[in-house]
Amino acid sequence: MSNRLPTLAIVGATGAVGSVMLDILSTRENVWGEIRLVASPRSAGKRLTVRGTEVEVQALAPEVFDGVDVAMFDVPDSVSAEWAPVAVERGAVAVDNSGAFRMEPDVPLVVPEVNRAQVRNRPRGIISNPNCTTLSMIVAMGALHARFGLEQLVVSSYQAASGSGQEGIDTLRDQTEKVAADRTLGERAGDVRAAAGDLGPFPAPLALNVVPWAGSLKDDGWSSEELKVRNESRKILGLPGLSVSATCVRVPVVTTHALAVHATFSQEVTADAARQLLGAAPGVTVQDDPAAGEFPTPADVVGTDPTWVGRIRQALDDPRSLDLFLCGDNLRKGAALNTAQIAEVVAEEHTTG
Amino acid sequence: MSNRLPTLAIVGATGAVGSVMLDILSTRENVWGEIRLVASPRSAGKRLTVRGTEVEVQALAPEVFDGVDVAMFDVPDSVSAEWAPVAVERGAVAVDNSGAFRMEPDVPLVVPEVNRAQVRNRPRGIISNPNCTTLSMIVAMGALHARFGLEQLVVSSYQAASGSGQEGIDTLRDQTEKVAADRTLGERAGDVRAAAGDLGPFPAPLALNVVPWAGSLKDDGWSSEELKVRNESRKILGLPGLSVSATCVRVPVVTTHALAVHATFSQEVTADAARQLLGAAPGVTVQDDPAAGEFPTPADVVGTDPTWVGRIRQALDDPRSLDLFLCGDNLRKGAALNTAQIAEVVAEEHTTG
Ligand SMILES: NC(=O)c1ccc[n+]([C@@H]2O[C@H](COP(=O)([O-])OP(=O)(O)OC[C@H]3O[C@@H](n4cnc5c(N)ncnc54)[C@H](OP(=O)(O)O)[C@@H]3O)[C@@H](O)[C@H]2O)c1
Ligand SMILES: NC(=O)c1ccc[n+]([C@@H]2O[C@H](COP(=O)([O-])OP(=O)(O)OC[C@H]3O[C@@H](n4cnc5c(N)ncnc54)[C@H](OP(=O)(O)O)[C@@H]3O)[C@@H](O)[C@H]2O)c1
């Protein structure tokens, strides 16, 4: 047990996830002592505000981790792969938001509402944060699983541009400006493509379109994003045999992922029972009254912490299945917030001994 | 058998579907003799071009059907319900694009590629055209069913604004202009809603958003659109016990519905077998090479006739299930084209006896 508040380093403080992390930390009091901001040498010397104070960004180097208790990594996979072990060597616990370690058997993949105890099970000193698409449903699915026993998930995503970082946001904004200028677009094949200009990180225009692709190509036609939903859901829920089919689709939304989920359980589950259980689950907000026009949409959910759940229906042909529609801010619970929550569990160990 | 080419009436010629119908008919030669254009009294006297000739729009009245062989209805449900029987009384076969008659047991619901023979089974003289969401997948699903035996469908839709008619298109365009003007939108809850202005036919803003609602509220939280996908798929495929769960979601696309489908069959089906079968199926185009960035998107499919299928994957946890992504122009195959195809089957009877 220590009287000193723990020291935190945020690697990737200048990125899309990093910026939201600074906002979130500014709302947390008495958790962290010093907070160090780290990014690439390109950003060294930049000044960012956290908890109302300007802090200078440092270039990533081994020394930035000296004296650090917890190091968060909000950087590309390759940077985490190289630098999280360096942070651990220098004495920090690494909480990594990238895909570098998520499926390693000796690295826990943690969602505090679902498997908080796994935080202590970190032989390598590294804890992974799930992918944003998985995170947009897993808190609600974990609560349902605990009561009804999950057997199968069929997931279709409606993923926001910011899942591809700041470049994704900028691309969607540029394309939206361009296609808004011509009220005839979207009625002939290719006209939106011609008008939208630069595709940025997406393989097809995103404005006035949807793109059934996220991530890289894996075996048998699956995208890396779709396999993450399957593999990470299985690991977080502790269900290595869970049946999961996901189709990941990018939509012209700035931030907040949405998911349509068909979930099958080992026992009957009514919509009312699901609504009641989810209504009481930490980290979940139920918004489900279509008669009053009440269901979650990304534009209304963005910037909030919970996983929002609506359109809860018992499948008409199988009383053990539910159909639901979920929304979660991919930069908050989908990334920065969950990382902050994990880091806070570690910080508690530090201050309580 | 008659030497005269049959006379066609298009009721609703001025609408979103009607306009596309005029385009489609202009590409068909030697099918129709006279073509009469009909709409509400508001449009009477308007002149529209079909097959290169200007034709004056007539106000809907019993006399417009005198001498008509086939009457297409591209109008709201209530107008079809009242006027299709009037057209039949005056001697026409009615081909109805509305929801008024689709589930009537004595009205066939026809997709020529799937159940063409049903056209002759019309005791009331009325033939129904399916809903555009069902039509965006049913040609491909029908081909797969014929070979592998369909047992279950889980469907998530990405539906275009024009599914709500011209008002839907105009609303999306107005909102897109408004949200394009401010590059900070979409990062705080409600800012898109405040900027988007008039919601038009949608229950939430559609620009920079997705809206998990289409149609009206039915029992147990289901939307009418979701039940149409279930009921119409069952009727067209002749599978009254087919298990179907659909979640219908509107996306900011002008025209062309997309669907993510998880389909389970009575026997094993590989992605290659499905690709081969669909590649040879009439009315279907396979575009499935993600390594080359090849998959269908609405912006590239709009204005074309086929159902486009890509992202064909065998489910990793069930060799009898496929995951696919489909796109179809909701105003063409989803409405006008399928109606034109049905009408042409009737016209063939007329000219061949
Ligand atoms: N966006 C999401 O929804 C989301 C959700 C969950 C997880 N993630 C994961 O979180 C990570 C960050 O994503 P993001 O969307 O925030 O990306 P981003 O906006 O592109 O930001 C990347 C950050 O990494 C830093 N960086 C890049 N290369 C570096 C290097 N060689 N050394 C040190 N810092 C470097 C950048 O610093 P400079 O500004 O100096 O270049 C920037 O701070 C990724 O692994 C991503 O997969 C993202
Ligand atoms: N949009 C789609 O993707 C789609 C797909 C499949 C099926 N459908 C169905 O097709 C039908 C037409 O849809 P839409 O999208 O084309 O709608 P729309 O753009 O609103 O057009 C409606 C048409 O109906 C006419 N009309 C309305 N009230 C009338 C009345 N009392 N008497 C005579 N004509 C009247 C209108 O004439 P005025 O111009 O004179 O008002 C106009 O031609 C609907 O039943 C719809 O559900 C639509």
Side-chain angles (χ1 to χ4, degrees), chain B residues 11-18 38-43 46 60 73-77 79 97-99 102 129-132 162-166 257 330-331 334-335:
Chain B
V11 188
T14 53
V17 175
V38 183
S40 81
R42 292 180 292 278
S43 303
K46 238 191 197 171
L60 181 54
F73 286 83
D74 299 316
V75 292
D77 293 6
V79 181
N97 206 347
S98 84
R102 287 183 194 137
N129 190 65
N131 168 274
C132 48
S162 66
S164 293
Q166 193 57 49
H257 289 352
N330 53 299
L331 298 178

Side-chain angles (χ1 to χ4, degrees), chain A residues 156-158 173-174 183 185 187 193 209 226 230 234 244-245 247 297 299-300 302 311 313 317 323, chain B residues 156-158 173-174 183 185 189 193 209 221 226 230 234 244-245 247 297 299-300 311 313 317 323:
Chain A
S156 303
S157 75
Y158 303 72
R173 293 204 186 286
D174 290 346
R183 290 182 69 100
L185 294 177
E187 299 180 15
R193 190 179 277 270
N209 204 18
E226 290 157 353
R230 178 166 178 264
R234 289 171 153 203
V244 184
S245 272
T247 297
T297 82
D300 296 317
V302 60
R311 303 298 328 281
R313 293 147 291 157
D317 303 306
D323 291 281
Chain B
S156 304
S157 75
Y158 303 71
R173 293 206 186 285
D174 290 345
R183 290 181 68 99
L185 294 178
R193 189 179 277 270
N209 204 17
E226 290 157 353
R230 179 165 179 264
R234 289 172 152 201
V244 184
S245 272
T247 297
T297 83
D300 296 318
R311 303 299 326 282
R313 293 148 291 158
D317 303 306
D323 291 281

